[in-house]
Amino acid sequence: MTIYEADWICPVAAPSIRRGAIAVDGGRLRDVGPAESIQHIGGARRVRFPGCAIIPGFVNAHAHLELTVLRGFLENRSFMDWILGLVQAKYQFLQYDAMRTSAEFGALEMLRAGVTAVGEVMDLGMSWDAMREFGLQGVAYQEVFGPADSVASESLAGLRTKVDRLRRDETETLRIGASPHAPFTVSKTLYEATRDFARSNRLPMTAHIAESRDELLLVRDGAGPFAEGQRNRGIEVTPRHCTPVTYLDALDLLGPDMLLIHVIEIDDQDLDRLQNSGVFVVHCPKSNAKLGHRTARVSEMQERGVTVALGTDSMASNNSVDMFEEMRAAVFHQRMLTGRIQALDAARAFRMATIDGAKCLGLEDHIGSLTPGKRADFVVIDLSGVSTQPVYDPIETMVYSAARGDVKATFLAGREVDLDDSELLKQAAAIRERLLGAV
Ligand SMILES: [Zn+2]
């Protein structure tokens, strides 16, 4: 048994505790409360973190670890050009070995930033190995692509093979899911096949949807750059005469087993669809802003009872893992969008980055709050510096003033993470040379 004391304990599921402590044993939280009340017989070790807050590990509900080394490689492109550049870099220049390095690099970065669980969307499956190696928890969703109806059965067969292999190593808090990528890369037939495969195998799903105006044009009108691109490749484009979210609803893809990513280009009826279906949403405010997309109507979704998590998306579009920045951006964007101070507050943003993320991944019984019985995945945030003092409310301070550099320690199942980055930094530099030589 070890007892960790700090100036603040922020359990999320309960009010923050001044001069609190958590007791950890066997990788699980045993007790959470005021420091003087956490007294255990039998000489438990006591570790003190003066000037710090202890919080649950952040849940980053949307990421692509495999793309980490593309940080800074695809700047100032239109969304379509950005996607094309990404696909080319992935398949022509990176391939398996560099993607593995990239995923490991990303996993290390997550842990350094206080993220202990991710909603990871992976293509080549390298992220799964990296998550297991580094101890990151969460759901790794295997992507599936195929814009032409004719390749749907082949794409599904690939998905089935990958999932069957990966699922052998699943644990209670490290799960496999499936992800039909996006309307511009997935045909109607493949959406339906993936849905049936996921439901019959009890796999959670996640899907990029309603991210851009170009995607809306493709789905609704069969027009715009994505439609042109498909026609140029000989793929038939069918206008659906509805929004992307309505399209997914018509395909029976909205439900409690689906985590929708982005959900920006929606109408008022789509808000009803989100509310009535029990679907989950992950919001990526910084990535959306950087790619020149709009921001999601998060506060309206939350007012309707939709659970919305926070995600960084990949380093090719963010370019940093900093959940403090994401929380800040989420609050600021909602207040700008609505003109209302009440649209989103720090406490809600903090829940989005922790317990709501865990709910979106279906893991809220195990992670996402400092609750006795849950895994001891927690983070120590140093609030003693000049950029965070004085502290009146630790959550307000963390959301509005803190940064990933204030993460003092990350614990996974009660063990402090201690990672050496020297080899990965060397490998990332070599990949940079390969990418620069290739373009
Ligand atoms: Zn994404």
Side-chain angles (χ1 to χ4, degrees):
M1 172 92 62
T2 307
I3 294 168
Y4 298 91
E5 288 183 23
D7 284 15
W8 296 96
I9 303 291
C10 303
V12 178
S16 299
I17 303 160
R18 183 90 173 99
R19 281 184 285 277
I22 58 172
V24 175
D25 192 25
R28 300 214 168 251
L29 293 162
R30 297 297 168 195
D31 213 347
V32 178
E36 65 275 10
S37 76
I38 309 282
Q39 304 288 347
H40 286 268
I41 311 154
R45 192 167 68 102
R46 284 188 103 88
V47 179
R48 290 187 173 85
F49 291 110
C52 295
I54 294 178
I55 65 169
F58 286 120
V59 179
N60 179 357
H62 182 59
H64 302 263
L65 294 170
E66 290 173 339
L67 304 180
T68 305
V69 294
L70 296 180
R71 188 198 327 268
F73 185 63
L74 301 163
E75 300 302 330
N76 304 311
R77 294 175 179 230
S78 73
F79 187 46
M80 172 103 172
D81 285 346
W82 179 84
I83 296 254
L84 291 173
L86 192 78
V87 169
Q88 186 186 36
K90 262 202 311 193
Y91 299 125
Q92 289 183 20
F93 311 145
L94 293 180
Q95 299 161 347
Y96 281 92
D97 61 326
M99 295 272 266
R100 173 69 191 257
T101 300
S102 190
E104 290 177 2
F105 197 97
L108 188 148
E109 183 184 13
M110 293 284 171
L111 291 166
R112 288 262 173 93
V115 173
T116 55
V118 290
E120 164 68 8
V121 177
M122 60 183 180
D123 179 4
L124 298 187
M126 299 293 106
S127 307
W128 180 248
D129 300 328
M131 287 169 77
R132 292 179 65 217
E133 182 183 338
F134 285 85
L136 267 180
Q137 305 301 300
V139 182
Y141 301 90
Q142 176 62 56
E143 272 181 312
V144 60
F145 305 89
D149 274 322
S150 57
V151 300
S153 60
E154 189 189 329
S155 297
L156 187 75
L159 175 68
R160 186 186 300 277
T161 305
K162 288 174 184 166
V163 165
D164 286 348
R165 179 178 71 81
L166 298 168
R167 283 199 104 176
R168 289 197 284 263
D169 298 312
E170 273 187 318
T171 69
E172 193 173 61
T173 46
L174 184 57
R175 312 296 298 271
I176 289 291
S179 178
H181 174 252
F184 44 87
T185 53
V186 176
S187 67
K188 179 169 173 287
T189 308
L190 184 55
Y191 268 126
E192 291 168 336
T194 305
R195 172 201 68 200
D196 292 345
F197 170 71
R199 296 227 165 110
S200 62
N201 289 280
R202 302 177 66 81
L203 288 168
M205 290 181 281
T206 197
H208 298 84
I209 197 72
E211 182 178 9
S212 66
R213 299 289 295 184
D214 290 347
E215 181 198 318
L216 174 66
L217 284 176
L218 168 73
V219 173
R220 189 184 59 197
D221 307 326
F226 285 122
E228 275 167 46
Q230 295 203 350
R231 288 198 181 95
N232 290 341
R233 292 167 64 193
I235 299 166
E236 196 187 335
V237 177
T238 310
R240 308 292 171 186
H241 307 295
C242 64
T243 65
V245 166
T246 305
Y247 174 53
L248 288 195
D249 193 26
L251 295 174
D252 189 24
L253 272 159
L254 304 189
D257 55 354
M258 173 61 87
L259 172 59
L260 296 179
I261 308 154
H262 302 309
V263 199
I264 297 166
E265 300 300 334
I266 62 171
D267 61 21
D268 291 347
Q269 288 73 40
D270 286 340
L271 286 172
D272 294 336
R273 291 190 167 84
L274 299 175
Q275 178 177 12
N276 296 332
S277 63
V279 75
F280 294 94
V281 172
V282 52
H283 175 49
C284 305
K286 278 182 61 201
S287 172
N288 295 157
K290 183 161 181 287
L291 286 173
H293 298 148
R294 303 195 302 169
T295 200
R297 293 162 67 178
V298 170
S299 54
E300 288 176 277
M301 294 179 197
Q302 291 174 327
E303 282 157 14
R304 288 161 179 262
V306 178
T307 302
V308 183
L310 280 178
T312 56
D313 214 333
S314 81
M315 292 307 99
S317 68
N318 192 309
N319 303 358
S320 64
V321 176
D322 187 331
M323 296 302 283
F324 301 99
E325 284 187 356
E326 299 298 339
M327 294 191 287
R328 224 158 19 239
V331 173
F332 291 177
H333 295 180
Q334 290 310 300
R335 290 181 176 182
M336 269 199 286
L337 180 68
T338 63
R340 289 190 299 125
I341 191 91
Q342 301 88 351
L344 189 61
D345 63 18
R348 188 69 192 245
F350 201 75
R351 289 203 300 276
M352 291 170 74
T354 53
I355 190 64
D356 288 351
K359 285 180 189 167
C360 287
L361 301 181
L363 298 174
E364 72 272 25
D365 291 342
H366 308 287
I367 60 170
S369 64
L370 299 177
T371 304
K374 285 194 179 183
R375 261 178 70 101
D377 293 348
F378 61 94
V379 180
V380 182
I381 312 295
D382 188 349
L383 300 179
S384 65
V386 290
S387 55
T388 43
Q389 283 291 314
V391 176
Y392 298 98
D393 176 285
I395 289 177
E396 303 283 346
T397 297
M398 283 187 275
V399 172
Y400 295 124
S401 309
R404 63 180 161 170
D406 299 319
V407 173
K408 187 182 176 73
T410 301
F411 288 76
L412 289 168
R415 280 175 189 270
E416 186 173 352
V417 171
D418 179 20
L419 297 166
D420 177 8
D421 57 20
S422 53
E423 192 52 37
L424 279 172
L425 283 169
K426 256 189 251 163
Q427 290 176 24
I431 293 169
R432 174 182 173 275
E433 296 308 309
R434 193 201 297 189
L435 282 167
L436 286 177
V439 289

